Amino acid sequence: MKIDPRSPADLSAQIAQAIRDAIVSGRLIVDERLPSEAELADQFQVSRPTVREALKRLAAQSLIRTQRGASGGAFVNRLNFEDAYSQQITTSTLLLSMNAVSFDTACEARYALERACASLSAQRRTPDQLATMRAEIFRQAQPGLTDEAFCASDVAFHRALVDGAGNPVLSYQLAGAVEAMQPLMNMITFTARSREEIIALHTDIADALEAGDASSVDAALVKLELYTRKLAQDVAEQRRKPA
Amino acid sequence: MKIDPRSPADLSAQIAQAIRDAIVSGRLIVDERLPSEAELADQFQVSRPTVREALKRLAAQSLIRTQRGASGGAFVNRLNFEDAYSQQITTSTLLLSMNAVSFDTACEARYALERACASLSAQRRTPDQLATMRAEIFRQAQPGLTDEAFCASDVAFHRALVDGAGNPVLSYQLAGAVEAMQPLMNMITFTARSREEIIALHTDIADALEAGDASSVDAALVKLELYTRKLAQDVAEQRRKPA
DNA sequence: AATTTTTATTTGTCTGACATTTAAAAGTCT
DNA sequence: AGACTTTTAAATGTCAGACAAATAAAAATT
């Protein structure tokens, strides 16, 4: 674990990279304690604040956790899906909002991934997950629901659909795509008519999942994708000509 | 942008979160300059090292970049796909290696996502991407190739397949799944016989993509998934009984 | 007017110090 | 002896002040 003292600036970045490499390569294993900040400062021949900056970089990626007190210190963190989720959602949200990814592109990706889960979900969804979907559909049908609440319920519905595949890697991968789109979806005004349509398709999906009919789920998702893109297009057109 | 001075420890984490929220919510826009470290220290009523730790956390997530000198400072970074890729790959790799996700689970997720790209790729793949795939197939057929090099070429092949969908969000999402599996794949010994089989399936895929035949691509991917899982199973069995 | 020099600003790093937390060791009482 | 309390030491969290280095703008010079 060495750093290059010749390259002048950003020592903390170099140190962070050195430790990160040690973790990713397995030289540092889960729950192993790193040397204390003072020892690391000695090893790398830098000051403690510099070491601390490096450790904070790693903490931001959930690669380590720190504990105060005697026998405290920095420990290699067991990365859990929850931490990975939230990081992925932050990254995906920023990618969508800053990089001017079109709604169509994001939408296409989301439904492509979701359809990939559908066949697995048709085989494996638990009664509990099905109940969640039904409950969200019921919520979506409530009259006084705000657009935001409708969107949030939509996300919960699709989340349950994805989780139904019983594959945590898929759930993790998709969490970003689905949740990152929510800010964009929130810009859509859901009329009573469009809600009705979406709820009908959601019901189709739930029915097909209950019956274990993968191809019907797929068909409903295709329709839902087309409809979502149409709604977004209408919003874009109204914006262009707000008369 | 406020922090809670009552909760005692981890001021830098709170400050980082406050700034992160400002970026994600759009209150700070791309290329906007943050106040100088001294000003931030004033605003948050903390010392400069604490502010610096917060900024390093954000830098680790590629949310900001810093520049020295007059009119330097910390700027909101335009997150690019490349940065997002590498973060996703690091996260995914750690998730797979530390969280004891089974090879089957990872493999299932990977091929589910990849099949999601296949139909799009059949419509849109460029001649260039097709040529890349052919070139990788050719490389995979070379006799003296090491297992690692074979794996790397495999990744490149699948990467081209995914990129063929022409959807950067999908490419980004899948980069993690495909590349994170490489360390696991590297544990497989590819015999001449198994390479032959894989190359045949790769050729099927390339042919089907050239013909724009989505369902054939899908069928080949299903076969490839089954075969990959079988190979991994053989490795696992040999390990259990290494006689 | 063009070039060079100076200057001010900002991040990068260091030193040293104190506060706070925490587990273990030492001490004390029953 | 055992249970409880107190002390202690180690570690992170935070602060203050200083200097180095880079860099762009301003000033000075040719």
Side-chain angles (χ1 to χ4, degrees):
Chain A
M1 214 147 70
K2 291 266 172 69
I3 58 171
D4 183 3
R6 284 167 308 178
S7 51
D10 261 332
L11 290 175
S12 74
Q14 291 178 51
I15 293 170
Q17 191 58 51
I19 299 176
R20 184 162 29 238
D21 286 346
I23 294 175
V24 173
S25 74
R27 287 203 302 287
L28 288 170
I29 60 173
V30 167
D31 291 335
E32 186 171 340
R33 183 182 172 282
L34 280 89
S36 74
E37 295 176 355
E39 285 172 319
L40 286 172
D42 256 16
Q43 276 184 34
F44 288 113
Q45 290 283 302
V46 297
S47 68
R48 194 157 84 91
T50 302
V51 167
R52 281 182 64 78
E53 287 177 10
L55 293 180
K56 294 314 168 197
R57 293 178 119 108
L58 300 176
Q61 297 180 302
S62 306
L63 295 186
I64 62 170
R65 63 179 185 280
T66 55
Q67 234 175 354
R68 286 221 270 196
S71 76
F75 298 83
V76 177
N77 204 17
R78 157 156 275 126
L79 192 59
N80 56 353
F81 279 103
E82 207 173 328
D83 286 340
Y85 278 157
S86 61
Q87 280 183 230
Q88 166 119 35
I89 289 168
T90 302
T91 305
S92 299
T93 304
L94 283 170
L95 265 183
L96 291 192
S97 70
M98 302 200 313
N99 237 351
V101 171
S102 71
F103 187 86
D104 264 11
T105 302
C107 207
E108 177 179 279
R110 172 191 163 159
Y111 279 99
L113 296 175
E114 209 160 323
R115 286 167 62 195
C117 295
S119 63
L120 292 172
S121 206
Q123 294 167 43
R124 303 189 191 152
R125 90 287 176 290
T126 64
D128 200 55
Q129 284 154 348
L130 203 55
T132 300
M133 291 188 229
R134 298 284 189 200
E136 295 299 339
I137 292 174
F138 181 77
R139 191 201 310 277
Q140 288 156 21
Q142 298 305 306
L145 210 64
T146 65
D147 281 342
E148 270 98 33
F150 185 80
C151 272
S153 172
D154 187 64
V155 167
F157 174 86
H158 286 280
R159 194 75 190 254
L161 164 61
V162 169
D163 287 341
N167 187 313
V169 177
L170 279 176
S171 294
Y172 153 70
Q173 294 274 353
L174 260 156
V178 174
E179 303 213 4
M181 276 184 61
Q182 203 173 1
L184 294 174
M185 295 289 289
N186 274 337
M187 298 186 337
I188 298 176
T189 306
F190 291 97
T191 62
R193 181 73 193 81
S194 63
R195 289 191 189 189
E196 208 176 288
E197 192 110 7
I198 290 171
I199 290 168
L201 286 171
H202 282 177
T203 307
D204 285 352
I205 291 171
D207 288 348
L209 279 177
E210 190 160 11
D213 179 359
S215 63
S216 295
V217 177
D218 194 70
L221 281 172
V222 170
K223 278 191 209 160
L224 192 53
E225 179 183 354
L226 286 175
Y227 191 64
T228 306
R229 286 163 88 159
K230 183 176 165 303
L231 282 180
Q233 208 172 345
D234 290 349
V235 170
E237 266 172 25
Q238 274 188 349
R239 240 181 225 191
R240 207 173 305 124
K241 182 190 57 158
Chain B
M1 216 147 68
K2 290 268 171 67
I3 59 172
D4 183 2
R6 283 167 308 178
S7 51
D10 262 332
L11 291 176
S12 73
Q14 291 177 51
I15 293 170
Q17 190 58 51
I19 299 176
R20 184 164 26 239
D21 287 346
I23 295 174
V24 173
S25 74
R27 287 202 303 286
L28 288 170
I29 61 173
V30 167
D31 291 333
E32 186 171 340
R33 184 181 172 283
L34 279 81
S36 74
E37 294 176 355
E39 284 171 321
L40 286 172
D42 256 15
Q43 275 184 34
F44 288 113
Q45 290 283 301
V46 297
S47 69
R48 195 158 82 92
T50 302
V51 167
R52 280 183 63 79
E53 287 178 10
L55 293 180
K56 294 314 168 195
R57 293 177 120 107
L58 300 176
Q61 298 180 303
S62 307
L63 295 187
I64 61 169
R65 62 179 186 280
T66 55
Q67 233 176 353
R68 287 220 269 199
S71 77
F75 298 83
V76 178
N77 204 15
R78 156 156 276 127
L79 192 58
N80 56 353
F81 279 104
E82 206 173 330
D83 286 340
Y85 278 159
S86 61
Q87 280 183 229
Q88 166 120 33
I89 289 169
T90 302
T91 304
S92 299
T93 303
L94 283 170
L95 264 182
L96 291 193
S97 69
M98 303 202 311
N99 237 351
V101 171
S102 71
F103 186 86
D104 264 12
T105 303
C107 207
E108 177 179 280
R110 173 193 161 159
Y111 279 100
L113 297 176
E114 208 161 324
R115 286 168 60 196
C117 295
S119 62
L120 292 172
S121 206
Q123 295 167 42
R124 302 188 191 152
R125 90 289 176 290
T126 64
D128 201 53
Q129 285 154 347
L130 202 56
T132 301
M133 291 188 228
R134 298 282 189 200
E136 295 300 337
I137 291 174
F138 181 76
R139 191 201 310 277
Q140 287 156 21
Q142 298 306 304
L145 210 65
T146 64
D147 282 343
E148 271 96 34
F150 184 80
C151 273
S153 172
D154 187 64
V155 167
F157 174 87
H158 287 279
R159 195 71 192 257
L161 165 60
V162 169
D163 287 342
N167 186 313
V169 178
L170 279 176
S171 294
Y172 153 69
Q173 293 275 353
L174 260 156
V178 174
E179 303 213 6
M181 276 183 62
Q182 203 173 0
L184 294 174
M185 295 289 289
N186 274 337
M187 299 185 338
I188 298 177
T189 305
F190 292 97
T191 62
R193 182 73 193 81
S194 63
R195 288 191 189 188
E196 208 176 286
E197 192 111 6
I198 290 170
I199 289 169
L201 286 170
H202 282 177
T203 306
D204 286 353
I205 291 171
D207 289 348
L209 280 177
E210 190 160 11
D213 179 359
S215 62
S216 295
V217 177
D218 194 70
L221 281 172
V222 170
K223 279 191 209 161
L224 191 53
E225 178 182 354
L226 286 176
Y227 191 66
T228 305
R229 286 163 90 158
K230 184 176 164 302
L231 282 180
Q233 209 171 345
D234 291 349
V235 170
E237 266 171 25
Q238 274 188 349
R239 262 212 195 169
R240 207 175 305 124
K241 183 190 56 155

